[in-house]
Amino acid sequence: MNKDFPAPQNFEERFSQELLKRDIRALLLGGVACITYGSTRYSQDTDWWIDSTADVRSWMKRLMDVALGCAEPCVWTRLLGRQMLGTYPQDAGSNELSLRAEQTVAEDGVVRIGTENSFVDVFYRPHQLTDFDAAWKKSQALDGCLRRLCIEDLIQTKTDTGRLQDEGDVRFLMNLLNSAKPITGKEE
């Protein structure tokens, strides 16, 4: 194990460490990003937006390399509809998993990978965001090439999703954003 990283406890941690080891630009979003801003809510997974400036096929190759580096079998699932796409690396030899995952990402903009109790939703195109480089410039550093979305972009990804948890996250983030703005006007 690389002594620069603590021993990972689960697939989500191994995945994050692999992103760091491979120097892949990634933006944290979702519930865990809200937690890094101080929310006390629970999240079942970790959401990453991996640099999507490349085409879907190149992006998928990098994602499969990261998954392989996690050194354990992981299930790939279509997040919308929870359809299992296959297990990696077992199903990798047939190229079928890669094609199904690539099609899923092209259509949905996201794929879920992980183990029974620990998984990551990996976005090529998160809800209402399209420009990775612009989001990267506004993001805040976490560790190495890993960053978290700025509050405004995080709010954008959680707006109009139809999920109650996202509505709560938007309220939390808006309160945080409003409390950070300086008060203007004349004092009496």
Side-chain angles (χ1 to χ4, degrees), residues 16-49:
S16 299
Q17 286 184 1
E18 282 300 314
L19 291 172
L20 279 169
K21 286 178 188 176
R22 296 166 188 279
D23 201 31
I24 294 174
R25 294 191 315 163
L27 294 168
L28 183 66
L29 59 150
V32 175
C34 290
I35 292 167
T36 68
Y37 280 108
S39 173
T40 57
R41 63 95 122 200
Y42 170 76
S43 183
Q44 297 179 16
D45 61 7
T46 303
D47 299 337
W48 286 108
W49 182 11

Side-chain angles (χ1 to χ4, degrees), residues 2-97:
N2 185 332
K3 63 183 176 184
D4 295 332
F5 299 108
Q9 300 299 309
N10 57 39
F11 180 81
E12 293 169 76
E13 290 180 8
R14 281 188 284 286
F15 187 88
S16 299
Q17 286 184 1
E18 282 300 314
L19 291 172
L20 279 169
K21 286 178 188 176
R22 296 166 188 279
D23 201 31
I24 294 174
R25 294 191 315 163
L27 294 168
L28 183 66
L29 59 150
V32 175
C34 290
I35 292 167
T36 68
Y37 280 108
S39 173
T40 57
R41 63 95 122 200
Y42 170 76
S43 183
Q44 297 179 16
D45 61 7
T46 303
D47 299 337
W48 286 108
W49 182 11
I50 293 181
D51 186 346
S52 56
T53 55
D55 63 282
V56 173
R57 179 162 284 150
S58 301
W59 184 88
M60 185 57 63
K61 166 118 178 54
R62 283 187 307 173
L63 182 55
M64 290 204 159
D65 288 345
V66 169
L68 187 61
C70 291
E72 71 177 297
C74 55
V75 174
W76 291 59
T77 306
R78 184 176 203 148
L79 190 58
L80 307 175
R82 303 281 198 252
Q83 173 191 3
M84 184 175 149
L85 302 172
T87 303
Y88 191 73
Q90 290 88 327
D91 296 335
S94 68
N95 205 30
E96 212 170 301
L97 171 61

Side-chain angles (χ1 to χ4, degrees), residues 25 27 49 51-53 128-140 147-150 152-153 156:
R25 294 191 315 163
L27 294 168
W49 182 11
D51 186 346
S52 56
T53 55
Q128 296 195 24
L129 291 181
T130 56
D131 188 340
F132 184 89
D133 285 330
W136 181 263
K137 289 175 185 168
K138 296 184 288 182
S139 66
Q140 298 174 332
R147 302 177 70 86
R148 69 178 176 185
L149 283 181
C150 70
E152 295 85 356
D153 283 351
Q156 193 172 346

